[in-house]
Amino acid sequence: SIKVKQVDEVKISKYILRYTFQDWENIVESDVVIVGAGPSGMTAAYYLAKAGLKTVVFERRLSFGGGIGGGAMLFHKIVIESPADEVLKEMNIRLTKVEDGVYIVDSAEFMAKLATAAIDAGAKILHGVTVDDVIFRENPLRVAGVAVEWTATQMAGLHVDPLFISAKAVVDATGHDAEVISVAARKIPELNIVIPGEKSAYSEIAEELTVENTGMVAPGLYATGMAVTEVRGLPRMGPIFGAMVLSGKRVAEIIIKDLRY
Ligand code: 48F
């Protein structure tokens, strides 16, 4: 018979609490906070962590991948175009070539391996946590971190104050709603952030425009992925994901440069 190590309930609880709080104490002072574990956020996390930056991803849900899992109308294939295939190949994600520079990928493999790549590079991904505000500082005016709350607390509508996490860079990778940039625009008018909102689909041009417009929105605050289309008034592109990956890579490169890392 298999001898299974016996661990009592008290020990189980103590180990979980001890190591959880060790992580949280470390995370409260991060280099980079990424909000959202979708394709753009996890790609950014991969490159930032790989460069040695202390990177944490807060994800509202209990899953990885954001819009990857839903694919297009729940179909489990996603289109990727060059040069994003190079990033996926680096993560051992298998691609099927459908024409020159155009590939098909399985959504489950894309989600799982992208998350694995980010975690293996050293990024911390925490689930069930919602970012509902930012921290700011004056002289110079900048975003200096985020406020976090349990998603469950928010859903229950309980009156609970958040915890604060400091960061040298905050990345809005929340997708179509650009939630973090929206709250900063509303609550810190001095940042002069104007959000025109996303346009209807025009896939051919939307991909490149999204990557090109990726970057800083205000000091300390960056946009990647569909948050870029919302904040810059660009068209959407639907279930082609090359720009999400390339935008994640680009925001990481910009932050690495800005932090002179
Ligand atoms: O929506 P999502 O996948 O964003 P993305 O990286 O990619 C967009 C594509 O999936 C697709 C598309 C491409 O053509 O149109 O929509 O821009 O991932 C965003 C993640 O952020 C989480 C959300 O649950 C999702 O997993 N999220 C959103 N708001 C918050 C958040 C928040 N306030 N706090 C924490 N997580």
Side-chain angles (χ1 to χ4, degrees), residues 14-228:
K14 277 190 177 174
Y15 295 153
I16 289 171
L17 292 171
R18 188 182 308 158
Y19 287 93
T20 297
F21 288 114
Q22 227 174 59
D23 269 5
W24 274 91
E25 266 205 55
N26 187 29
I27 282 163
V28 289
E29 271 177 304
S30 288
D31 289 326
V32 186
V33 165
I34 296 173
V35 189
S40 64
M42 285 198 294
T43 306
Y46 168 72
Y47 285 106
L48 288 161
K50 216 170 131 183
L53 285 154
K54 195 203 283 187
T55 305
V56 59
V57 182
F58 293 116
E59 168 53 50
R60 171 151 66 198
R61 294 191 260 178
L62 299 180
S63 56
F64 300 110
I68 299 174
M73 261 188 79
L74 295 178
F75 293 128
H76 71 281
K77 298 284 184 191
I78 283 174
V79 177
I80 293 282
E81 77 281 32
S82 64
D85 58 305
E86 288 164 21
V87 176
L88 272 68
K89 283 172 190 155
E90 199 177 312
M91 299 171 177
N92 292 318
I93 298 170
R94 290 168 298 181
L95 303 162
T96 303
K97 188 173 167 183
V98 289
E99 63 173 90
D100 258 1
V102 185
Y103 305 83
I104 276 281
V105 59
D106 260 39
S107 53
E109 179 166 354
F110 186 14
M111 285 191 277
K113 290 188 176 171
L114 185 52
T116 302
I119 293 165
D120 283 351
K124 211 34 120 180
I125 304 184
L126 295 187
H127 286 118
V129 179
T130 292
V131 170
D132 68 1
D133 203 347
V134 296
I135 312 173
F136 76 106
R137 289 288 180 272
E138 290 169 333
N139 307 315
L141 180 64
R142 65 192 187 279
V143 169
V146 295
V148 295
E149 187 58 88
W150 300 120
T151 306
T153 306
Q154 284 212 331
M155 289 169 80
L158 299 175
H159 185 160
V160 179
D161 260 323
L163 275 179
F164 296 111
I165 313 291
S166 80
K168 296 169 192 153
V170 173
V171 181
D172 187 332
T174 64
H176 293 266
D177 293 334
E179 286 192 22
V180 182
I181 295 169
S182 298
V183 78
R186 180 167 51 84
K187 295 179 80 168
I188 318 168
E190 307 91 287
L191 290 175
N192 290 318
I193 301 171
V194 178
I195 302 181
E198 179 186 285
K199 288 186 176 166
S200 297
Y202 190 170
S203 307
E204 287 148 86
I205 64 163
E207 287 284 271
E208 203 163 294
L209 283 173
T210 303
V211 182
E212 264 172 25
N213 282 276
T214 294
M216 193 190 276
V217 172
L221 183 60
Y222 297 78
T224 186
M226 291 312 287
V228 176

